[in-house]
């Protein structure tokens, strides 16, 4: 007493599992925005196959969107790392900046500004240089070697 031979009767009470498969089919279509389309499942096997296919496709789609978001998130990591290093360099400069009480000589203030400028240029050069030519932490040149 189904509409199609081998199909699921959508209003019948013959099989609870078939009604569950039918309702799962429409739920998955609605929640995943796959849509209802012109071609729909009719038989029991088609509904089960469509349910499995939609679930696998939905998981694949979520995996792809997650990877795209991950790639976009890592695109700015180089710039964020540069900003973090520049902030650390500025904190270091502030720690060693002479206060007005300690300075009696205008040359000391000028020397501190020169050192601060050299440190900032060094950090900026690390950022601006190509990724492959960056020195490792064990062989990195000193500040005097890079910016005399």
């Amino acid at each position: 007493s189904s509409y199609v031979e081998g199909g699921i009767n959508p209003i019948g009470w013959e099989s609870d599992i078939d009604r569950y498969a039918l309702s799962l089919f429409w739920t998955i279509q609605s929640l995943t925005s796959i849509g209802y389309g012109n071609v729909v499942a009719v038989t029991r096997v088609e509904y089960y196959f469509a349910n499995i296919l939609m679930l696998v496709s939905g998981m694949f789609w979520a995996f792809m969107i997650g990877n795209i978001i991950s790639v976009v998130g890592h695109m700015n990591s180089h710039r964020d790392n540069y900003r973090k290093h520049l902030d650390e360099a500025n904190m270091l400069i502030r720690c060693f900046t002479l206060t007005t009480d300690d300075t009696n000589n205008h040359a000391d203030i000028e020397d501190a500004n020169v050192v601060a400028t050299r440190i900032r240029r060094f950090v900026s050069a690390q950022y601006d240089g190509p990724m492959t030519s960056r020195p490792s932490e064990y062989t990195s040149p000193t500040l005097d070697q890079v910016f005399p």
Side-chain angles (χ1 to χ4, degrees):
S1 80
S2 66
Y3 295 108
V4 176
E5 186 65 35
I8 297 176
N9 186 356
I11 56 173
W13 297 94
E14 293 87 26
S15 174
D16 291 336
I17 193 75
D18 287 344
R19 280 185 313 180
Y20 180 76
L22 179 64
S23 55
L24 184 64
F25 175 77
W26 290 107
T27 303
I28 294 171
Q29 274 190 323
S30 299
L31 289 178
T32 59
S33 301
I34 290 174
Y36 305 111
N38 296 334
V39 179
V40 295
V42 176
T43 66
R44 179 176 293 115
V45 173
E46 290 173 350
Y47 276 108
Y48 293 137
F49 180 74
N51 284 339
I52 292 169
L53 186 63
M54 286 189 293
L55 286 174
V56 169
S57 299
M59 286 187 284
F60 178 73
W61 181 249
F63 176 75
M64 292 303 295
I65 293 297
N67 280 337
I68 290 170
I69 289 172
S70 176
V71 167
V72 170
H74 287 294
M75 286 173 60
N76 295 328
S77 65
H78 180 60
R79 184 182 62 208
D80 293 341
N81 193 23
Y82 162 71
R83 287 181 179 167
K84 183 186 88 161
H85 285 291
L86 195 57
D87 287 342
E88 290 171 353
N90 285 331
M91 285 178 16
L92 178 72
I93 291 167
R94 273 188 233 111
C95 287
F96 291 107
T97 301
L98 300 173
T99 62
T100 55
D101 296 338
D102 296 338
T103 59
N104 295 328
N105 190 353
H106 182 67
D108 290 340
I109 294 174
E110 191 171 306
D111 288 342
N113 289 335
V114 169
V115 171
T117 302
R118 288 174 56 201
I119 290 172
R120 288 186 185 111
R121 284 176 48 205
F122 178 79
V123 172
S124 293
Q126 294 296 312
Y127 173 72
D128 293 336
M131 297 281 278
T132 56
S133 68
R134 292 198 182 165
S136 72
E137 61 183 279
Y138 302 111
T139 62
S140 62
T142 63
L143 186 61
D144 288 330
Q145 292 171 335
V146 176
F147 295 106

